[in-house]
Short mmCIF file of all heavy atoms in Angstrom, two decimals:
data_model
loop_
_atom_site.label_atom_id
_atom_site.label_comp_id
_atom_site.label_asym_id
_atom_site.label_seq_id
_atom_site.Cartn_x
_atom_site.Cartn_y
_atom_site.Cartn_z
N MET A 58 65.09 98.92 103.10
CA MET A 58 63.68 98.78 103.51
C MET A 58 63.58 98.39 104.98
O MET A 58 64.48 97.82 105.55
CB MET A 58 63.00 97.71 102.67
CG MET A 58 62.53 98.22 101.31
SD MET A 58 61.27 99.48 101.49
CE MET A 58 59.92 98.53 102.24
N ILE A 59 62.46 98.72 105.54
CA ILE A 59 62.19 98.32 106.92
C ILE A 59 60.70 98.04 107.03
O ILE A 59 59.88 98.69 106.38
CB ILE A 59 62.62 99.43 107.90
CG1 ILE A 59 62.48 98.95 109.33
CG2 ILE A 59 61.86 100.72 107.67
CD1 ILE A 59 63.14 99.89 110.33
N GLN A 60 60.37 97.05 107.85
CA GLN A 60 58.96 96.69 107.98
C GLN A 60 58.20 97.75 108.75
O GLN A 60 58.66 98.26 109.78
CB GLN A 60 58.84 95.34 108.71
CG GLN A 60 59.29 94.17 107.85
CD GLN A 60 59.13 92.86 108.60
OE1 GLN A 60 59.62 92.74 109.70
NE2 GLN A 60 58.46 91.91 108.00
N GLN A 61 57.01 98.06 108.27
CA GLN A 61 56.22 99.13 108.88
C GLN A 61 55.83 98.78 110.31
O GLN A 61 55.85 99.63 111.20
CB GLN A 61 54.98 99.39 108.04
CG GLN A 61 54.25 100.66 108.44
CD GLN A 61 55.09 101.91 108.22
OE1 GLN A 61 55.80 102.01 107.23
NE2 GLN A 61 55.02 102.85 109.13
N ASP A 62 55.48 97.52 110.56
CA ASP A 62 55.07 97.15 111.91
C ASP A 62 56.24 97.22 112.88
O ASP A 62 56.08 97.50 114.06
CB ASP A 62 54.42 95.76 111.93
CG ASP A 62 55.33 94.70 111.34
OD1 ASP A 62 56.35 95.05 110.73
OD2 ASP A 62 55.01 93.52 111.48
N LEU A 63 57.44 97.00 112.36
CA LEU A 63 58.63 97.12 113.19
C LEU A 63 58.85 98.59 113.57
O LEU A 63 59.17 98.91 114.71
CB LEU A 63 59.85 96.59 112.44
CG LEU A 63 61.15 96.51 113.22
CD1 LEU A 63 61.01 95.62 114.45
CD2 LEU A 63 62.27 95.97 112.33
N LEU A 64 58.62 99.45 112.60
CA LEU A 64 58.75 100.90 112.85
C LEU A 64 57.83 101.37 113.98
O LEU A 64 58.17 102.26 114.74
CB LEU A 64 58.40 101.67 111.58
CG LEU A 64 59.55 102.23 110.73
CD1 LEU A 64 58.97 103.07 109.60
CD2 LEU A 64 60.51 103.05 111.57
N GLU A 65 56.67 100.75 114.05
CA GLU A 65 55.70 101.20 115.05
C GLU A 65 56.06 100.72 116.45
O GLU A 65 55.61 101.28 117.44
CB GLU A 65 54.31 100.68 114.67
CG GLU A 65 53.80 101.32 113.38
CD GLU A 65 52.47 100.70 112.93
OE1 GLU A 65 51.91 99.88 113.66
OE2 GLU A 65 52.03 101.03 111.82
N ILE A 66 56.88 99.68 116.52
CA ILE A 66 57.25 99.10 117.82
C ILE A 66 58.45 99.82 118.42
O ILE A 66 58.47 100.12 119.61
CB ILE A 66 57.58 97.60 117.65
CG1 ILE A 66 56.35 96.83 117.20
CG2 ILE A 66 58.15 97.04 118.94
CD1 ILE A 66 56.65 95.41 116.81
N ILE A 67 59.42 100.10 117.56
CA ILE A 67 60.68 100.61 118.09
C ILE A 67 60.60 102.09 118.47
O ILE A 67 59.75 102.82 117.99
CB ILE A 67 61.82 100.43 117.05
CG1 ILE A 67 61.48 101.16 115.75
CG2 ILE A 67 62.08 98.95 116.82
CD1 ILE A 67 62.55 101.03 114.70
N CYS A 68 61.50 102.49 119.35
CA CYS A 68 61.59 103.90 119.73
C CYS A 68 63.04 104.22 120.04
O CYS A 68 63.88 103.34 120.14
CB CYS A 68 60.68 104.21 120.91
SG CYS A 68 61.09 103.30 122.39
N CYS A 69 63.31 105.48 120.21
CA CYS A 69 64.67 105.95 120.45
C CYS A 69 65.21 105.39 121.77
O CYS A 69 64.55 105.49 122.79
CB CYS A 69 64.66 107.47 120.48
SG CYS A 69 66.24 108.19 120.91
N PRO A 70 66.41 104.79 121.75
CA PRO A 70 66.99 104.24 122.98
C PRO A 70 67.45 105.33 123.94
O PRO A 70 67.69 105.06 125.11
CB PRO A 70 68.18 103.42 122.47
CG PRO A 70 68.54 104.04 121.17
CD PRO A 70 67.25 104.56 120.58
N ASN A 71 67.56 106.52 123.46
CA ASN A 71 68.02 107.62 124.31
C ASN A 71 66.87 108.28 125.07
O ASN A 71 66.95 108.52 126.26
CB ASN A 71 68.75 108.67 123.47
CG ASN A 71 70.08 108.16 122.96
OD1 ASN A 71 70.79 107.46 123.67
ND2 ASN A 71 70.41 108.51 121.74
N CYS A 72 65.79 108.58 124.33
CA CYS A 72 64.71 109.38 124.94
C CYS A 72 63.35 108.73 124.76
O CYS A 72 62.35 109.32 125.14
CB CYS A 72 64.71 110.78 124.34
SG CYS A 72 64.21 110.82 122.61
N LYS A 73 63.30 107.54 124.14
CA LYS A 73 62.04 106.83 123.88
C LYS A 73 61.12 107.58 122.93
O LYS A 73 59.91 107.35 122.90
CB LYS A 73 61.28 106.54 125.20
CG LYS A 73 62.12 105.90 126.27
CD LYS A 73 62.70 104.59 125.82
CE LYS A 73 63.53 103.95 126.94
NZ LYS A 73 64.31 102.80 126.46
N GLY A 74 61.69 108.48 122.15
CA GLY A 74 60.89 109.24 121.20
C GLY A 74 60.59 108.43 119.95
O GLY A 74 61.14 107.34 119.74
N ASP A 75 59.72 108.96 119.12
CA ASP A 75 59.37 108.31 117.86
C ASP A 75 60.51 108.42 116.85
O ASP A 75 61.19 109.43 116.78
CB ASP A 75 58.12 108.96 117.27
CG ASP A 75 56.87 108.62 118.05
OD1 ASP A 75 56.86 107.55 118.69
OD2 ASP A 75 55.92 109.41 118.02
N LEU A 76 60.68 107.35 116.07
CA LEU A 76 61.71 107.34 115.05
C LEU A 76 61.08 107.47 113.67
O LEU A 76 60.07 106.86 113.38
CB LEU A 76 62.52 106.05 115.13
CG LEU A 76 63.30 105.85 116.43
CD1 LEU A 76 63.93 104.47 116.46
CD2 LEU A 76 64.38 106.91 116.58
N THR A 77 61.72 108.26 112.83
CA THR A 77 61.24 108.45 111.46
C THR A 77 62.24 107.82 110.49
O THR A 77 63.44 108.10 110.56
CB THR A 77 61.09 109.95 111.14
OG1 THR A 77 60.18 110.52 112.07
CG2 THR A 77 60.55 110.14 109.73
N TYR A 78 61.73 106.98 109.58
CA TYR A 78 62.61 106.31 108.64
C TYR A 78 62.88 107.18 107.42
O TYR A 78 61.95 107.74 106.83
CB TYR A 78 61.99 104.99 108.20
CG TYR A 78 62.86 104.18 107.27
CD1 TYR A 78 64.12 103.77 107.68
CD2 TYR A 78 62.44 103.84 105.99
CE1 TYR A 78 64.93 103.03 106.84
CE2 TYR A 78 63.23 103.08 105.14
CZ TYR A 78 64.49 102.69 105.57
OH TYR A 78 65.29 101.96 104.74
N ASN A 79 64.15 107.28 107.07
CA ASN A 79 64.56 108.03 105.88
C ASN A 79 64.97 107.04 104.81
O ASN A 79 65.98 106.36 104.93
CB ASN A 79 65.72 108.97 106.22
CG ASN A 79 66.07 109.87 105.04
OD1 ASN A 79 66.03 109.47 103.89
ND2 ASN A 79 66.42 111.10 105.34
N GLU A 80 64.14 106.93 103.75
CA GLU A 80 64.41 105.93 102.71
C GLU A 80 65.68 106.22 101.93
O GLU A 80 66.36 105.32 101.47
CB GLU A 80 63.22 105.88 101.74
CG GLU A 80 61.99 105.25 102.36
CD GLU A 80 60.89 105.07 101.31
OE1 GLU A 80 61.22 104.89 100.13
OE2 GLU A 80 59.71 105.13 101.69
N GLN A 81 66.01 107.49 101.76
CA GLN A 81 67.17 107.85 100.95
C GLN A 81 68.47 107.45 101.61
O GLN A 81 69.42 107.04 100.95
CB GLN A 81 67.15 109.36 100.67
CG GLN A 81 65.98 109.74 99.76
CD GLN A 81 65.95 111.24 99.47
OE1 GLN A 81 66.39 112.03 100.28
NE2 GLN A 81 65.44 111.60 98.32
N THR A 82 68.53 107.57 102.92
CA THR A 82 69.77 107.25 103.62
C THR A 82 69.68 105.94 104.39
O THR A 82 70.66 105.48 104.97
CB THR A 82 70.14 108.38 104.60
OG1 THR A 82 69.04 108.57 105.51
CG2 THR A 82 70.40 109.68 103.87
N SER A 83 68.48 105.31 104.38
CA SER A 83 68.26 104.08 105.14
C SER A 83 68.63 104.24 106.60
O SER A 83 69.32 103.40 107.19
CB SER A 83 69.03 102.92 104.52
OG SER A 83 68.54 102.63 103.23
N THR A 84 68.20 105.34 107.17
CA THR A 84 68.46 105.57 108.59
C THR A 84 67.17 105.95 109.31
O THR A 84 66.19 106.33 108.68
CB THR A 84 69.48 106.71 108.79
OG1 THR A 84 69.01 107.88 108.12
CG2 THR A 84 70.86 106.33 108.24
N LEU A 85 67.22 105.83 110.62
CA LEU A 85 66.11 106.26 111.45
C LEU A 85 66.53 107.50 112.22
O LEU A 85 67.60 107.52 112.83
CB LEU A 85 65.73 105.14 112.43
CG LEU A 85 65.11 103.90 111.80
CD1 LEU A 85 65.20 102.73 112.77
CD2 LEU A 85 63.66 104.14 111.43
N THR A 86 65.67 108.51 112.21
CA THR A 86 65.98 109.73 112.94
C THR A 86 64.97 109.94 114.05
O THR A 86 63.77 109.80 113.84
CB THR A 86 65.95 110.94 111.99
OG1 THR A 86 66.86 110.72 110.92
CG2 THR A 86 66.33 112.22 112.73
N CYS A 87 65.47 110.26 115.23
CA CYS A 87 64.59 110.52 116.37
C CYS A 87 64.01 111.92 116.25
O CYS A 87 64.74 112.89 116.02
CB CYS A 87 65.36 110.38 117.67
SG CYS A 87 64.36 110.82 119.10
N ALA A 88 62.70 112.03 116.40
CA ALA A 88 62.04 113.33 116.26
C ALA A 88 62.33 114.22 117.46
O ALA A 88 62.22 115.44 117.36
CB ALA A 88 60.53 113.14 116.12
N SER A 89 62.70 113.62 118.57
CA SER A 89 62.89 114.41 119.79
C SER A 89 64.34 114.85 119.99
O SER A 89 64.62 116.03 120.13
CB SER A 89 62.43 113.60 121.00
OG SER A 89 61.06 113.31 120.89
N CYS A 90 65.27 113.88 119.98
CA CYS A 90 66.67 114.23 120.28
C CYS A 90 67.52 114.25 119.01
O CYS A 90 68.71 114.56 119.08
CB CYS A 90 67.26 113.27 121.31
SG CYS A 90 67.49 111.59 120.74
N GLU A 91 66.92 113.92 117.87
CA GLU A 91 67.58 114.01 116.56
C GLU A 91 68.79 113.10 116.41
O GLU A 91 69.67 113.35 115.59
CB GLU A 91 67.96 115.47 116.25
CG GLU A 91 66.73 116.35 116.15
CD GLU A 91 67.07 117.76 115.67
OE1 GLU A 91 68.24 118.14 115.80
OE2 GLU A 91 66.16 118.44 115.16
N ASN A 92 68.87 112.07 117.22
CA ASN A 92 69.88 111.05 116.99
C ASN A 92 69.52 110.26 115.73
O ASN A 92 68.34 110.09 115.42
CB ASN A 92 69.96 110.09 118.18
CG ASN A 92 71.05 110.46 119.15
OD1 ASN A 92 72.21 110.58 118.76
ND2 ASN A 92 70.68 110.64 120.40
N VAL A 93 70.53 109.78 115.01
CA VAL A 93 70.33 109.03 113.78
C VAL A 93 70.84 107.61 113.98
O VAL A 93 71.94 107.41 114.49
CB VAL A 93 71.05 109.70 112.60
CG1 VAL A 93 70.87 108.88 111.33
CG2 VAL A 93 70.52 111.11 112.39
N PHE A 94 70.03 106.62 113.56
CA PHE A 94 70.38 105.22 113.72
C PHE A 94 70.37 104.54 112.37
O PHE A 94 69.48 104.75 111.56
CB PHE A 94 69.40 104.54 114.67
CG PHE A 94 69.30 105.23 116.00
CD1 PHE A 94 68.29 106.15 116.24
CD2 PHE A 94 70.23 104.97 117.00
CE1 PHE A 94 68.21 106.81 117.45
CE2 PHE A 94 70.15 105.62 118.22
CZ PHE A 94 69.14 106.55 118.45
N GLU A 95 71.36 103.68 112.15
CA GLU A 95 71.45 102.97 110.89
C GLU A 95 70.52 101.75 110.89
O GLU A 95 70.15 101.23 111.93
CB GLU A 95 72.89 102.51 110.65
CG GLU A 95 73.84 103.68 110.41
CD GLU A 95 75.24 103.20 110.09
OE1 GLU A 95 75.39 102.08 109.58
OE2 GLU A 95 76.17 103.96 110.38
N VAL A 96 70.17 101.32 109.67
CA VAL A 96 69.37 100.12 109.49
C VAL A 96 70.18 99.15 108.64
O VAL A 96 70.55 99.47 107.51
CB VAL A 96 68.03 100.42 108.81
CG1 VAL A 96 67.24 99.16 108.58
CG2 VAL A 96 67.23 101.43 109.64
N ALA A 97 70.46 97.98 109.17
CA ALA A 97 71.24 96.98 108.47
C ALA A 97 70.37 95.77 108.14
O ALA A 97 69.86 95.11 109.03
CB ALA A 97 72.44 96.54 109.32
N ASP A 98 70.17 95.51 106.85
CA ASP A 98 69.36 94.38 106.40
C ASP A 98 67.97 94.41 107.01
O ASP A 98 67.43 93.39 107.40
CB ASP A 98 70.05 93.06 106.73
CG ASP A 98 71.37 92.90 105.98
OD1 ASP A 98 71.46 93.40 104.85
OD2 ASP A 98 72.30 92.29 106.52
N GLY A 99 67.40 95.61 107.13
CA GLY A 99 66.05 95.74 107.66
C GLY A 99 65.98 95.74 109.17
O GLY A 99 64.91 95.83 109.74
N ILE A 100 67.15 95.62 109.83
CA ILE A 100 67.18 95.59 111.29
C ILE A 100 67.73 96.91 111.80
O ILE A 100 68.87 97.26 111.50
CB ILE A 100 68.07 94.44 111.81
CG1 ILE A 100 67.68 93.13 111.14
CG2 ILE A 100 68.00 94.36 113.33
CD1 ILE A 100 66.28 92.65 111.46
N PRO A 101 66.94 97.65 112.55
CA PRO A 101 67.44 98.92 113.09
C PRO A 101 68.53 98.69 114.14
O PRO A 101 68.38 97.83 115.01
CB PRO A 101 66.19 99.54 113.75
CG PRO A 101 65.04 98.70 113.36
CD PRO A 101 65.57 97.36 112.96
N ILE A 102 69.61 99.44 114.00
CA ILE A 102 70.70 99.35 114.98
C ILE A 102 70.48 100.44 116.02
O ILE A 102 70.94 101.57 115.85
CB ILE A 102 72.08 99.51 114.30
CG1 ILE A 102 72.17 98.65 113.06
CG2 ILE A 102 73.17 99.19 115.29
CD1 ILE A 102 72.05 97.16 113.31
N LEU A 103 69.77 100.09 117.09
CA LEU A 103 69.38 101.10 118.06
C LEU A 103 70.33 101.12 119.24
O LEU A 103 70.03 100.68 120.34
CB LEU A 103 67.94 100.83 118.54
CG LEU A 103 66.89 100.88 117.43
CD1 LEU A 103 65.52 100.59 118.00
CD2 LEU A 103 66.89 102.24 116.75
N LEU A 104 71.53 101.64 118.99
CA LEU A 104 72.53 101.77 120.05
C LEU A 104 72.66 103.24 120.41
O LEU A 104 72.83 104.09 119.54
CB LEU A 104 73.88 101.24 119.58
CG LEU A 104 73.93 99.75 119.23
CD1 LEU A 104 75.29 99.38 118.67
CD2 LEU A 104 73.63 98.91 120.46
N PRO A 105 72.57 103.54 121.70
CA PRO A 105 72.76 104.93 122.12
C PRO A 105 74.13 105.43 121.72
O PRO A 105 75.12 104.69 121.80
CB PRO A 105 72.62 104.85 123.65
CG PRO A 105 71.88 103.58 123.92
CD PRO A 105 72.29 102.64 122.81
N LYS A 106 74.18 106.66 121.28
CA LYS A 106 75.46 107.24 120.89
C LYS A 106 76.33 107.46 122.14
O LYS A 106 75.86 107.93 123.16
CB LYS A 106 75.24 108.58 120.19
CG LYS A 106 74.46 108.45 118.89
CD LYS A 106 75.33 107.99 117.75
CE LYS A 106 74.53 107.98 116.46
NZ LYS A 106 75.32 107.60 115.31
N SER A 107 77.62 107.13 121.98
CA SER A 107 78.52 107.26 123.13
C SER A 107 79.22 108.61 123.13
O SER A 107 79.82 109.01 124.11
CB SER A 107 79.57 106.16 123.09
OG SER A 107 80.38 106.30 121.94
N ASP A 108 79.15 109.32 122.01
CA ASP A 108 79.80 110.62 121.89
C ASP A 108 81.30 110.54 122.14
O ASP A 108 81.91 111.46 122.68
CB ASP A 108 79.18 111.64 122.85
CG ASP A 108 77.79 112.06 122.37
OD1 ASP A 108 77.56 111.98 121.15
OD2 ASP A 108 76.97 112.46 123.20
N GLY A 109 81.88 109.43 121.80
CA GLY A 109 83.34 109.28 121.84
C GLY A 109 83.93 109.21 123.24
O GLY A 109 85.09 109.51 123.43
N LYS A 110 83.15 108.78 124.19
CA LYS A 110 83.68 108.66 125.55
C LYS A 110 84.67 107.48 125.64
O LYS A 110 84.38 106.45 125.07
CB LYS A 110 82.56 108.46 126.53
CG LYS A 110 81.77 109.73 126.79
CD LYS A 110 80.63 109.46 127.77
CE LYS A 110 79.74 110.67 127.90
NZ LYS A 110 78.51 110.34 128.65
ZN1 ZN B 415 65.62 110.37 120.95
#
């Protein structure tokens, strides 16, 4: 679960796009750049992907 008001505040760390919560996978997906972020204990882990650099 994630709080709805928290969802409205946060945005994608890569492109500042809107994030959509997926209840089945408990992840947030960016509508713009399609990055996926995990949610741990209701806290979104909004770390930009490093792409293995
Ligand atoms: Zn994005």
Side-chain angles (χ1 to χ4, degrees):
M58 278 296 295
I59 186 169
Q60 289 181 307
Q61 192 63 39
D62 55 349
L63 186 59
L64 258 185
E65 294 175 6
I66 296 171
I67 59 179
C68 61
C69 175
N71 290 322
C72 69
K73 310 301 181 191
D75 288 333
L76 296 174
T77 302
Y78 183 60
N79 186 323
E80 289 187 30
Q81 293 181 331
T82 57
S83 295
T84 55
L85 292 162
T86 303
C87 175
S89 298
C90 68
E91 297 187 339
N92 264 304
V93 178
F94 305 96
E95 292 183 27
V96 178
D98 296 327
I100 309 296
I102 313 298
L103 299 179
L104 297 175
K106 297 280 184 177
S107 64
D108 288 334
K110 285 179 188 170

